[in-house]
Amino acid sequence: MDLSYSPEDIAFRDEVRAFLDAKLSPEMSGKVRNGQELGKAAHDEWHTILNEQGWLAPNWPSEYGGCEWNAVQKHIFEMECAQANAPRIIPFGLTMLAPVLQKFGSDAQKAYYLPRILSGEDWWCQGYSEPGAGSDLASLKTKAVRDGDHYVVNGQKTWTTLGQYANWIFCLVRTDPDVKQQEGISFLLIDMDTPGIEVRPIILLDGTPEVNEIWFTDVRVPVENLVGEENKGWTYAKYLLTHERTNTAGVGYSQAGLSALKRMARAEVSNGRPLIENPHFAARLAQVEIELMAMATTNLRIVSMAAVGQAPGVEASMLKVKGTIIRQEINDLARRAAGPYAMPFASESVEGDNAPIGPDYAGPVAAQYFNNRKLSIFAGSNEIQRGIIAKVKLGAMG
Amino acid sequence: MNFELTEERQMLQDTLRRFLADRYDTKTRNEILESDAGLSADIWGQMAELGIIGAMFTEDQGGFGGTGFDLAVVFEELGRAGVVEPFLDTAILGGGLIAALGTDAQKALLDDVIGGTHHLAFAHGEPTSRYDLSQVQTTATANGDQIVLNGRKAVVINAEAAGTLIVSARESGGVGDEAGISLFLVSADADGLDLMGYPMLSGGRAAEVMLNDVSVPVSARLGAAGKAYPAIAERAAAASVALAAEALGAMETATRLTGEYLMTRKQFGRPIGTFQALQHRFSDLLIELEQVRSAVINAAGHLEREAQVRDLNIAAARNLIGRAGRLVAEDAIQMHGGIAMTQEYELAHIAKRIIMTDHRFGDTDYHLERFIALSAA
């Protein structure tokens, strides 16, 4: 048992830190720290910086331009980026679609799409959920009917994150309605410029247009845009979801959030003293930090397993449940720390060029608290995760 | 022992509930939320006509209610419908302070307040005062027969709509002293008064209020010089009763919406309300709701008692409701899933109302500390 990083790991960490020091601008990290919307241009900028460094695709094999890091290095990179308030890497192309293409795509698909993901030429979004198919994803109804060299797609996808920026969408569609649900689904790549596609923004409860509805009306998709075999899409989707569920703990985000929270609690005054010295607040802060310390080690234990080739199973579900509880608790404490100044609806459109209404850290905290309710809902709700844990563990005992 | 509403209050509740069900649906409310004013003058006028503002004043003050239970009945209904109009600010805080401390001449303003034609705002909190009612740095300095006000007031709800602001300022003593705080009636068009307005996350509008050499006559002082604190504390207690009742009403709506959703939303071929994991969570919400209802009754029933007993019961209610409110708001969203994350769905607004009550007149932790201190007293 050794809790410390090896000298090689520490050297790698220092290299990452030096890179972030040099390349991550204070404007960009400041926006991330304050929970401000980045927009497409800033995301593209960071994407390009990482690509030029060759650090954009830690999970890809080197033949496709990945960086061949081991599990510990990937972990260090993710943690350092989160703690430095680097923009999150938009995952849809890089960490969701790419592994599916690499495993199941045709040579032509790999040769065409993978470089465009790295270059940032394509912004992908995910067409999975539908109004009637959320936790029960396999009940999806968007259908694709073969017509000569095309599939004709009709239906509706929803909760499509940042779909307004995307020029491509990967979709699960029903190609056979007459078999068991899971056996009639295919995985299609669709150009968002194809006639018949309509993107409608959904405004979330914090006022942000983060997700969208995507409507398909007689959308003609070339058959070569089918990934793998027809009606095998569920297998690919499950493969994708296992990739989506790595780094589900969000330890780096929680650590960055906790640092920001402590800064707030030192600046806020309660009963004439810094809020961080208030016994009740300090106790709550300590409790969440204690949870996070244990979670960080749980996360490392799973990273170590992955480093020797053991794929995480239910552990990914466990990390997601506990990790999101911790992140949401930090959001709740930040909201409380802001006091009455949590009430204003702060946004660039409201404040314009004026100074923030209250302390600059107070503006976004309540909106973030509400926005991050999504953490326990998306990517397999915490109820679905608990179901998976019970099914696997109890199943092994029965 | 009798937990029934009086006939009058039952009528008030029925009238208000019917009116809001008819006139304050999700579409109307969303239009109000999007509007520049952040409130509906039309709805305000109609509710004044129904006597809703009058219900928050005693007969002596020109109303027909004014007790803790009157406030609770009204605010439970306002909370149930997710109403964003500033009844708390114009009636309970502004109107209540004038009624408690005003001269006959000053109280003449209440006719227009109760009639729905004059808005008020209580400009008390300051940028670093958090929830501490005695932290007043704004100064009031005598200058002949005038008094000059200087300072900044933070998150003053309804400041832009108000014809008159009730501004607290210090005439003597240190920043945290209860003694030395006075209240002044300041007309919205006074020279040196500047507002920086903004919308709030859960609806309605507030403003930062800057007072730069605002000069008012001595006759604008509300009550005796330096002695306003007890009345401020009493109105803060009344505001807490209202906020507690509002949270109760909103939690009832959140729970109703969740129950309806659980029984209509189907996944895996059946209503999700047939899954035991969700059934148990839903049951917990109902159990909490009963606790909250009782906490509101305790708070409302002690509003007219001496300060220590009053504030102990109010601190207990606000702490309990802060905890239960968070549970209900978060679990209602969670059990709905994505749909509750959308701005246009009713629950999103209701959840925000529940959570944001925790940021007025003390949050859950503040009231825990208050309770501990008052229990020891």
mmCIF file of all heavy atoms in Angstrom, chain A residues 131-132 134 136 203 205 268-269 278 280 329 335 337 339 341 343 345 357 369 376 383, chain B residues 130-131 152 154 199 201 208 265 267-268 281 326 330 334 338 341 343 352 355 359 369:
data_model
loop_
_atom_site.group_PDB
_atom_site.id
_atom_site.type_symbol
_atom_site.label_atom_id
_atom_site.label_comp_id
_atom_site.label_asym_id
_atom_site.label_seq_id
_atom_site.Cartn_x
_atom_site.Cartn_y
_atom_site.Cartn_z
ATOM 1 N N PRO A 131 -38.366 12.012 -25.786
ATOM 2 C CA PRO A 131 -39.348 12.373 -24.758
ATOM 3 C C PRO A 131 -39.881 11.150 -23.996
ATOM 4 O O PRO A 131 -40.083 11.197 -22.800
ATOM 5 C CB PRO A 131 -40.447 13.062 -25.556
ATOM 6 C CG PRO A 131 -39.732 13.639 -26.730
ATOM 7 C CD PRO A 131 -38.645 12.645 -27.070
ATOM 8 N N GLY A 132 -40.072 10.035 -24.714
ATOM 9 C CA GLY A 132 -40.614 8.853 -24.046
ATOM 10 C C GLY A 132 -39.562 7.835 -23.651
ATOM 11 O O GLY A 132 -39.881 6.769 -23.129
ATOM 12 N N GLY A 134 -36.170 7.857 -21.632
ATOM 13 C CA GLY A 134 -35.134 8.476 -20.813
ATOM 14 C C GLY A 134 -34.320 7.390 -20.155
ATOM 15 O O GLY A 134 -33.423 6.807 -20.766
ATOM 16 N N ASP A 136 -35.357 4.548 -19.628
ATOM 17 C CA ASP A 136 -35.659 3.360 -20.439
ATOM 18 C C ASP A 136 -35.288 3.643 -21.890
ATOM 19 O O ASP A 136 -36.134 3.733 -22.776
ATOM 20 C CB ASP A 136 -37.157 3.044 -20.303
ATOM 21 C CG ASP A 136 -37.558 1.776 -21.049
ATOM 22 O OD1 ASP A 136 -36.665 1.031 -21.509
ATOM 23 O OD2 ASP A 136 -38.779 1.539 -21.166
ATOM 24 N N ILE A 203 -34.822 25.968 -22.788
ATOM 25 C CA ILE A 203 -34.224 26.833 -21.775
ATOM 26 C C ILE A 203 -34.321 26.120 -20.429
ATOM 27 O O ILE A 203 -35.396 25.716 -20.005
ATOM 28 C CB ILE A 203 -34.947 28.195 -21.698
ATOM 29 C CG1 ILE A 203 -35.033 28.843 -23.087
ATOM 30 C CG2 ILE A 203 -34.245 29.122 -20.708
ATOM 31 C CD1 ILE A 203 -33.710 29.148 -23.730
ATOM 32 N N LEU A 205 -33.787 25.667 -16.191
ATOM 33 C CA LEU A 205 -34.346 26.447 -15.089
ATOM 34 C C LEU A 205 -33.431 27.574 -14.611
ATOM 35 O O LEU A 205 -33.879 28.487 -13.940
ATOM 36 C CB LEU A 205 -34.779 25.533 -13.920
ATOM 37 C CG LEU A 205 -33.737 24.971 -12.964
ATOM 38 C CD1 LEU A 205 -34.431 24.152 -11.889
ATOM 39 C CD2 LEU A 205 -32.681 24.182 -13.627
ATOM 40 N N GLU A 268 -16.876 36.129 3.079
ATOM 41 C CA GLU A 268 -18.169 36.479 3.675
ATOM 42 C C GLU A 268 -18.027 36.664 5.177
ATOM 43 O O GLU A 268 -17.241 35.962 5.832
ATOM 44 C CB GLU A 268 -19.191 35.369 3.398
ATOM 45 C CG GLU A 268 -19.709 35.358 1.982
ATOM 46 C CD GLU A 268 -20.640 36.531 1.689
ATOM 47 O OE1 GLU A 268 -21.494 36.842 2.544
ATOM 48 O OE2 GLU A 268 -20.494 37.143 0.609
ATOM 49 N N VAL A 269 -18.798 37.613 5.705
ATOM 50 C CA VAL A 269 -18.743 37.881 7.138
ATOM 51 C C VAL A 269 -20.072 37.494 7.782
ATOM 52 O O VAL A 269 -21.136 37.831 7.270
ATOM 53 C CB VAL A 269 -18.442 39.375 7.399
ATOM 54 C CG1 VAL A 269 -18.475 39.668 8.888
ATOM 55 C CG2 VAL A 269 -17.095 39.745 6.803
ATOM 56 N N ASN A 278 -17.502 30.293 11.258
ATOM 57 C CA ASN A 278 -18.802 30.010 11.871
ATOM 58 C C ASN A 278 -18.907 28.507 12.122
ATOM 59 O O ASN A 278 -18.737 27.705 11.206
ATOM 60 C CB ASN A 278 -19.905 30.481 10.917
ATOM 61 C CG ASN A 278 -21.283 30.155 11.423
ATOM 62 O OD1 ASN A 278 -21.645 28.989 11.564
ATOM 63 N ND2 ASN A 278 -22.067 31.176 11.700
ATOM 64 N N HIS A 280 -21.221 26.274 12.575
ATOM 65 C CA HIS A 280 -22.158 25.438 11.814
ATOM 66 C C HIS A 280 -21.724 25.317 10.361
ATOM 67 O O HIS A 280 -21.748 24.247 9.777
ATOM 68 C CB HIS A 280 -23.568 26.005 11.899
ATOM 69 C CG HIS A 280 -24.094 25.986 13.281
ATOM 70 N ND1 HIS A 280 -24.142 27.108 14.075
ATOM 71 C CD2 HIS A 280 -24.538 24.968 14.046
ATOM 72 C CE1 HIS A 280 -24.599 26.778 15.254
ATOM 73 N NE2 HIS A 280 -24.840 25.487 15.272
ATOM 74 N N GLU A 329 -23.651 18.869 -3.009
ATOM 75 C CA GLU A 329 -23.566 19.415 -1.649
ATOM 76 C C GLU A 329 -22.692 20.681 -1.646
ATOM 77 O O GLU A 329 -23.002 21.661 -0.965
ATOM 78 C CB GLU A 329 -22.994 18.354 -0.707
ATOM 79 C CG GLU A 329 -22.914 18.763 0.759
ATOM 80 C CD GLU A 329 -24.276 19.010 1.398
ATOM 81 O OE1 GLU A 329 -25.299 18.493 0.886
ATOM 82 O OE2 GLU A 329 -24.341 19.734 2.410
ATOM 83 N N ARG A 335 -24.273 28.260 -2.424
ATOM 84 C CA ARG A 335 -25.502 29.063 -2.441
ATOM 85 C C ARG A 335 -25.741 29.693 -1.071
ATOM 86 O O ARG A 335 -26.006 30.892 -0.961
ATOM 87 C CB ARG A 335 -26.661 28.156 -2.852
ATOM 88 C CG ARG A 335 -28.010 28.566 -2.380
ATOM 89 C CD ARG A 335 -29.080 27.582 -2.825
ATOM 90 N NE ARG A 335 -29.331 26.487 -1.903
ATOM 91 C CZ ARG A 335 -29.943 26.606 -0.727
ATOM 92 N NH1 ARG A 335 -30.325 27.785 -0.290
ATOM 93 N NH2 ARG A 335 -30.158 25.554 0.037
ATOM 94 N N ALA A 337 -23.523 30.229 1.273
ATOM 95 C CA ALA A 337 -22.449 31.153 1.619
ATOM 96 C C ALA A 337 -22.707 32.538 1.037
ATOM 97 O O ALA A 337 -22.353 33.548 1.643
ATOM 98 C CB ALA A 337 -21.104 30.621 1.121
ATOM 99 N N GLY A 339 -25.437 34.092 0.812
ATOM 100 C CA GLY A 339 -26.436 34.832 1.580
ATOM 101 C C GLY A 339 -27.450 35.518 0.681
ATOM 102 O O GLY A 339 -27.831 34.979 -0.356
ATOM 103 N N TYR A 341 -27.175 37.800 -1.437
ATOM 104 C CA TYR A 341 -26.690 38.061 -2.796
ATOM 105 C C TYR A 341 -26.788 36.840 -3.704
ATOM 106 O O TYR A 341 -26.380 36.889 -4.866
ATOM 107 C CB TYR A 341 -25.270 38.608 -2.777
ATOM 108 C CG TYR A 341 -25.216 40.112 -2.637
ATOM 109 C CD1 TYR A 341 -24.496 40.714 -1.612
ATOM 110 C CD2 TYR A 341 -25.909 40.936 -3.522
ATOM 111 C CE1 TYR A 341 -24.449 42.102 -1.479
ATOM 112 C CE2 TYR A 341 -25.878 42.318 -3.402
ATOM 113 C CZ TYR A 341 -25.143 42.892 -2.380
ATOM 114 O OH TYR A 341 -25.115 44.258 -2.266
ATOM 115 N N MET A 343 -29.705 35.836 -4.398
ATOM 116 C CA MET A 343 -31.024 36.050 -5.009
ATOM 117 C C MET A 343 -31.002 36.714 -6.384
ATOM 118 O O MET A 343 -31.811 36.370 -7.239
ATOM 119 C CB MET A 343 -31.926 36.835 -4.055
ATOM 120 C CG MET A 343 -32.372 36.016 -2.858
ATOM 121 S SD MET A 343 -33.700 36.796 -1.912
ATOM 122 C CE MET A 343 -32.785 38.018 -0.994
ATOM 123 N N PHE A 345 -30.580 37.496 -10.171
ATOM 124 C CA PHE A 345 -30.334 36.662 -11.328
ATOM 125 C C PHE A 345 -29.225 37.334 -12.120
ATOM 126 O O PHE A 345 -29.468 38.242 -12.905
ATOM 127 C CB PHE A 345 -31.598 36.508 -12.171
ATOM 128 C CG PHE A 345 -31.389 35.708 -13.423
ATOM 129 C CD1 PHE A 345 -30.893 34.414 -13.348
ATOM 130 C CD2 PHE A 345 -31.679 36.234 -14.663
ATOM 131 C CE1 PHE A 345 -30.689 33.666 -14.492
ATOM 132 C CE2 PHE A 345 -31.480 35.486 -15.822
ATOM 133 C CZ PHE A 345 -30.990 34.206 -15.733
ATOM 134 N N ILE A 357 -23.435 42.682 -9.292
ATOM 135 C CA ILE A 357 -24.381 43.247 -8.332
ATOM 136 C C ILE A 357 -23.835 43.141 -6.910
ATOM 137 O O ILE A 357 -23.816 44.100 -6.164
ATOM 138 C CB ILE A 357 -25.732 42.513 -8.459
ATOM 139 C CG1 ILE A 357 -26.339 42.817 -9.825
ATOM 140 C CG2 ILE A 357 -26.670 42.920 -7.341
ATOM 141 C CD1 ILE A 357 -27.347 41.812 -10.298
ATOM 142 N N TYR A 369 -26.289 25.951 -8.564
ATOM 143 C CA TYR A 369 -26.966 24.981 -7.690
ATOM 144 C C TYR A 369 -28.124 24.326 -8.447
ATOM 145 O O TYR A 369 -28.261 23.097 -8.444
ATOM 146 C CB TYR A 369 -27.475 25.684 -6.420
ATOM 147 C CG TYR A 369 -28.519 24.904 -5.668
ATOM 148 C CD1 TYR A 369 -28.156 23.891 -4.783
ATOM 149 C CD2 TYR A 369 -29.873 25.151 -5.868
ATOM 150 C CE1 TYR A 369 -29.121 23.158 -4.111
ATOM 151 C CE2 TYR A 369 -30.845 24.428 -5.196
ATOM 152 C CZ TYR A 369 -30.469 23.433 -4.325
ATOM 153 O OH TYR A 369 -31.419 22.698 -3.673
ATOM 154 N N SER A 376 -27.309 14.423 -11.126
ATOM 155 C CA SER A 376 -27.869 13.163 -10.634
ATOM 156 C C SER A 376 -28.962 12.621 -11.556
ATOM 157 O O SER A 376 -29.543 11.582 -11.291
ATOM 158 C CB SER A 376 -28.400 13.340 -9.208
ATOM 159 O OG SER A 376 -29.205 14.501 -9.117
ATOM 160 N N GLU A 383 -30.795 6.812 -9.720
ATOM 161 C CA GLU A 383 -31.676 5.659 -9.449
ATOM 162 C C GLU A 383 -31.294 4.477 -10.347
ATOM 163 O O GLU A 383 -31.258 3.329 -9.906
ATOM 164 C CB GLU A 383 -33.149 6.041 -9.681
ATOM 165 C CG GLU A 383 -33.722 6.979 -8.632
ATOM 166 C CD GLU A 383 -33.183 8.394 -8.717
ATOM 167 O OE1 GLU A 383 -32.832 8.843 -9.831
ATOM 168 O OE2 GLU A 383 -33.075 9.049 -7.667
ATOM 169 N N ARG B 130 -25.542 40.414 5.720
ATOM 170 C CA ARG B 130 -26.156 39.080 5.640
ATOM 171 C C ARG B 130 -27.554 39.118 6.267
ATOM 172 O O ARG B 130 -28.388 39.868 5.800
ATOM 173 C CB ARG B 130 -25.279 38.026 6.336
ATOM 174 C CG ARG B 130 -24.230 37.418 5.436
ATOM 175 C CD ARG B 130 -23.440 36.358 6.171
ATOM 176 N NE ARG B 130 -23.960 35.027 5.919
ATOM 177 C CZ ARG B 130 -23.706 34.330 4.827
ATOM 178 N NH1 ARG B 130 -22.977 34.833 3.867
ATOM 179 N NH2 ARG B 130 -24.199 33.120 4.674
ATOM 180 N N TYR B 131 -27.784 38.303 7.311
ATOM 181 C CA TYR B 131 -29.132 38.225 7.880
ATOM 182 C C TYR B 131 -29.234 38.939 9.225
ATOM 183 O O TYR B 131 -30.221 38.811 9.939
ATOM 184 C CB TYR B 131 -29.541 36.754 8.024
ATOM 185 C CG TYR B 131 -29.442 35.999 6.720
ATOM 186 C CD1 TYR B 131 -28.553 34.938 6.553
ATOM 187 C CD2 TYR B 131 -30.218 36.379 5.631
ATOM 188 C CE1 TYR B 131 -28.466 34.260 5.349
ATOM 189 C CE2 TYR B 131 -30.132 35.708 4.421
ATOM 190 C CZ TYR B 131 -29.254 34.651 4.286
ATOM 191 O OH TYR B 131 -29.170 33.983 3.087
ATOM 192 N N ARG B 152 -25.533 52.440 1.402
ATOM 193 C CA ARG B 152 -25.990 51.550 0.330
ATOM 194 C C ARG B 152 -26.821 50.423 0.926
ATOM 195 O O ARG B 152 -26.413 49.788 1.905
ATOM 196 C CB ARG B 152 -24.799 50.965 -0.425
ATOM 197 C CG ARG B 152 -25.214 49.897 -1.439
ATOM 198 C CD ARG B 152 -24.050 49.422 -2.284
ATOM 199 N NE ARG B 152 -24.472 48.239 -3.064
ATOM 200 C CZ ARG B 152 -23.772 47.726 -4.068
ATOM 201 N NH1 ARG B 152 -22.625 48.259 -4.425
ATOM 202 N NH2 ARG B 152 -24.209 46.659 -4.718
ATOM 203 N N ALA B 154 -28.761 46.727 0.123
ATOM 204 C CA ALA B 154 -28.538 45.597 -0.784
ATOM 205 C C ALA B 154 -29.808 44.779 -1.018
ATOM 206 O O ALA B 154 -30.586 44.546 -0.084
ATOM 207 C CB ALA B 154 -27.453 44.685 -0.207
ATOM 208 N N PRO B 199 -33.430 41.548 -12.180
ATOM 209 C CA PRO B 199 -34.383 40.472 -11.857
ATOM 210 C C PRO B 199 -33.774 39.508 -10.839
ATOM 211 O O PRO B 199 -32.560 39.466 -10.669
ATOM 212 C CB PRO B 199 -34.577 39.773 -13.204
ATOM 213 C CG PRO B 199 -33.304 40.028 -13.954
ATOM 214 C CD PRO B 199 -32.775 41.355 -13.481
ATOM 215 N N LEU B 201 -33.601 35.402 -9.380
ATOM 216 C CA LEU B 201 -33.628 34.048 -9.929
ATOM 217 C C LEU B 201 -35.008 33.403 -9.795
ATOM 218 O O LEU B 201 -35.453 32.671 -10.660
ATOM 219 C CB LEU B 201 -32.582 33.185 -9.208
ATOM 220 C CG LEU B 201 -32.301 31.834 -9.825
ATOM 221 C CD1 LEU B 201 -31.532 32.000 -11.131
ATOM 222 C CD2 LEU B 201 -31.509 30.964 -8.870
ATOM 223 N N GLU B 208 -30.123 47.414 -5.950
ATOM 224 C CA GLU B 208 -29.177 48.007 -5.016
ATOM 225 C C GLU B 208 -29.602 49.466 -4.894
ATOM 226 O O GLU B 208 -29.830 50.142 -5.901
ATOM 227 C CB GLU B 208 -27.749 47.908 -5.544
ATOM 228 C CG GLU B 208 -27.286 46.484 -5.786
ATOM 229 C CD GLU B 208 -27.300 45.638 -4.528
ATOM 230 O OE1 GLU B 208 -26.436 45.848 -3.638
ATOM 231 O OE2 GLU B 208 -28.197 44.769 -4.417
ATOM 232 N N ARG B 265 -46.051 9.180 -15.968
ATOM 233 C CA ARG B 265 -44.825 8.898 -16.726
ATOM 234 C C ARG B 265 -44.551 7.386 -16.718
ATOM 235 O O ARG B 265 -44.440 6.771 -15.652
ATOM 236 C CB ARG B 265 -43.646 9.623 -16.093
ATOM 237 C CG ARG B 265 -42.283 9.250 -16.636
ATOM 238 C CD ARG B 265 -42.058 9.779 -18.019
ATOM 239 N NE ARG B 265 -40.682 9.575 -18.458
ATOM 240 C CZ ARG B 265 -40.257 9.866 -19.687
ATOM 241 N NH1 ARG B 265 -41.093 10.384 -20.575
ATOM 242 N NH2 ARG B 265 -39.009 9.662 -20.032
ATOM 243 N N GLN B 267 -42.034 4.297 -17.892
ATOM 244 C CA GLN B 267 -40.754 3.778 -18.393
ATOM 245 C C GLN B 267 -40.743 2.286 -18.063
ATOM 246 O O GLN B 267 -41.343 1.858 -17.070
ATOM 247 C CB GLN B 267 -39.572 4.475 -17.699
ATOM 248 C CG GLN B 267 -39.387 5.935 -18.110
ATOM 249 C CD GLN B 267 -38.727 6.101 -19.474
ATOM 250 O OE1 GLN B 267 -37.536 6.192 -19.617
ATOM 251 N NE2 GLN B 267 -39.549 6.135 -20.527
ATOM 252 N N PHE B 268 -40.097 1.506 -18.872
ATOM 253 C CA PHE B 268 -40.066 0.056 -18.700
ATOM 254 C C PHE B 268 -41.492 -0.515 -18.671
ATOM 255 O O PHE B 268 -41.782 -1.458 -17.940
ATOM 256 C CB PHE B 268 -39.299 -0.338 -17.435
ATOM 257 C CG PHE B 268 -37.903 0.244 -17.389
ATOM 258 C CD1 PHE B 268 -37.626 1.354 -16.591
ATOM 259 C CD2 PHE B 268 -36.879 -0.285 -18.157
ATOM 260 C CE1 PHE B 268 -36.354 1.919 -16.562
ATOM 261 C CE2 PHE B 268 -35.603 0.273 -18.133
ATOM 262 C CZ PHE B 268 -35.330 1.374 -17.336
ATOM 263 N N ARG B 281 -39.617 7.284 -1.580
ATOM 264 C CA ARG B 281 -39.171 8.685 -1.571
ATOM 265 C C ARG B 281 -40.362 9.622 -1.575
ATOM 266 O O ARG B 281 -40.343 10.662 -0.913
ATOM 267 C CB ARG B 281 -38.275 8.948 -2.778
ATOM 268 C CG ARG B 281 -36.936 8.293 -2.637
ATOM 269 C CD ARG B 281 -36.129 8.428 -3.879
ATOM 270 N NE ARG B 281 -35.590 9.765 -4.030
ATOM 271 C CZ ARG B 281 -34.580 10.045 -4.851
ATOM 272 N NH1 ARG B 281 -34.039 9.092 -5.559
ATOM 273 N NH2 ARG B 281 -34.128 11.265 -4.946
ATOM 274 N N ARG B 326 -35.503 21.943 1.098
ATOM 275 C CA ARG B 326 -34.439 21.482 0.198
ATOM 276 C C ARG B 326 -34.720 20.047 -0.250
ATOM 277 O O ARG B 326 -34.607 19.724 -1.434
ATOM 278 C CB ARG B 326 -33.086 21.575 0.908
ATOM 279 C CG ARG B 326 -31.940 21.178 0.009
ATOM 280 C CD ARG B 326 -30.591 21.195 0.707
ATOM 281 N NE ARG B 326 -29.615 20.520 -0.143
ATOM 282 C CZ ARG B 326 -28.487 19.983 0.298
ATOM 283 N NH1 ARG B 326 -28.168 20.053 1.577
ATOM 284 N NH2 ARG B 326 -27.665 19.396 -0.534
ATOM 285 N N GLU B 330 -35.464 19.280 -4.173
ATOM 286 C CA GLU B 330 -34.482 18.453 -4.888
ATOM 287 C C GLU B 330 -35.074 17.104 -5.297
ATOM 288 O O GLU B 330 -34.856 16.634 -6.413
ATOM 289 C CB GLU B 330 -33.231 18.255 -4.014
ATOM 290 C CG GLU B 330 -32.466 19.565 -3.820
ATOM 291 C CD GLU B 330 -31.174 19.396 -3.020
ATOM 292 O OE1 GLU B 330 -30.898 18.273 -2.555
ATOM 293 O OE2 GLU B 330 -30.452 20.407 -2.880
ATOM 294 N N GLN B 334 -35.644 15.524 -8.951
ATOM 295 C CA GLN B 334 -34.996 14.247 -9.257
ATOM 296 C C GLN B 334 -35.996 13.208 -9.754
ATOM 297 O O GLN B 334 -35.745 12.489 -10.715
ATOM 298 C CB GLN B 334 -34.266 13.721 -8.018
ATOM 299 C CG GLN B 334 -33.475 12.449 -8.250
ATOM 300 C CD GLN B 334 -32.245 12.668 -9.117
ATOM 301 O OE1 GLN B 334 -31.729 13.768 -9.195
ATOM 302 N NE2 GLN B 334 -31.815 11.634 -9.809
ATOM 303 N N GLY B 338 -35.383 15.013 -16.315
ATOM 304 C CA GLY B 338 -35.068 16.169 -17.153
ATOM 305 C C GLY B 338 -36.158 17.218 -17.270
ATOM 306 O O GLY B 338 -35.871 18.413 -17.275
ATOM 307 N N MET B 341 -36.080 20.169 -15.167
ATOM 308 C CA MET B 341 -34.947 21.083 -15.366
ATOM 309 C C MET B 341 -35.286 22.187 -16.357
ATOM 310 O O MET B 341 -34.468 23.063 -16.600
ATOM 311 C CB MET B 341 -33.736 20.309 -15.903
ATOM 312 C CG MET B 341 -33.120 19.312 -14.944
ATOM 313 S SD MET B 341 -32.350 20.089 -13.512
ATOM 314 C CE MET B 341 -31.023 21.036 -14.298
ATOM 315 N N GLN B 343 -37.193 25.472 -17.885
ATOM 316 C CA GLN B 343 -37.758 26.693 -17.314
ATOM 317 C C GLN B 343 -39.278 26.751 -17.430
ATOM 318 O O GLN B 343 -39.947 27.290 -16.568
ATOM 319 C CB GLN B 343 -37.142 27.887 -18.035
ATOM 320 C CG GLN B 343 -37.393 29.200 -17.332
ATOM 321 C CD GLN B 343 -36.542 30.299 -17.952
ATOM 322 O OE1 GLN B 343 -36.603 30.567 -19.137
ATOM 323 N NE2 GLN B 343 -35.727 30.920 -17.148
ATOM 324 N N LYS B 352 -37.611 26.782 -7.332
ATOM 325 C CA LYS B 352 -36.809 27.978 -7.079
ATOM 326 C C LYS B 352 -37.416 28.821 -5.961
ATOM 327 O O LYS B 352 -36.702 29.363 -5.116
ATOM 328 C CB LYS B 352 -36.674 28.808 -8.376
ATOM 329 C CG LYS B 352 -35.691 28.210 -9.355
ATOM 330 C CD LYS B 352 -35.391 29.154 -10.504
ATOM 331 C CE LYS B 352 -36.286 28.882 -11.680
ATOM 332 N NZ LYS B 352 -35.937 29.679 -12.859
ATOM 333 N N ILE B 355 -36.514 27.073 -2.595
ATOM 334 C CA ILE B 355 -35.100 27.207 -2.210
ATOM 335 C C ILE B 355 -34.755 28.657 -1.872
ATOM 336 O O ILE B 355 -34.043 28.928 -0.903
ATOM 337 C CB ILE B 355 -34.183 26.672 -3.343
ATOM 338 C CG1 ILE B 355 -34.365 25.160 -3.525
ATOM 339 C CG2 ILE B 355 -32.716 27.020 -3.066
ATOM 340 C CD1 ILE B 355 -33.914 24.305 -2.352
ATOM 341 N N HIS B 359 -33.107 32.412 1.517
ATOM 342 C CA HIS B 359 -32.152 33.525 1.443
ATOM 343 C C HIS B 359 -32.738 34.837 1.943
ATOM 344 O O HIS B 359 -32.153 35.892 1.758
ATOM 345 C CB HIS B 359 -31.639 33.670 0.007
ATOM 346 C CG HIS B 359 -30.764 32.521 -0.406
ATOM 347 N ND1 HIS B 359 -29.397 32.553 -0.313
ATOM 348 C CD2 HIS B 359 -31.077 31.277 -0.839
ATOM 349 C CE1 HIS B 359 -28.903 31.397 -0.704
ATOM 350 N NE2 HIS B 359 -29.895 30.595 -1.027
ATOM 351 N N GLU B 369 -28.773 28.546 14.617
ATOM 352 C CA GLU B 369 -28.027 29.305 15.631
ATOM 353 C C GLU B 369 -28.956 30.140 16.506
ATOM 354 O O GLU B 369 -28.786 30.217 17.723
ATOM 355 C CB GLU B 369 -27.018 30.241 14.952
ATOM 356 C CG GLU B 369 -25.841 29.505 14.384
ATOM 357 C CD GLU B 369 -24.932 30.431 13.582
ATOM 358 O OE1 GLU B 369 -25.029 31.670 13.736
ATOM 359 O OE2 GLU B 369 -24.139 29.911 12.789
#
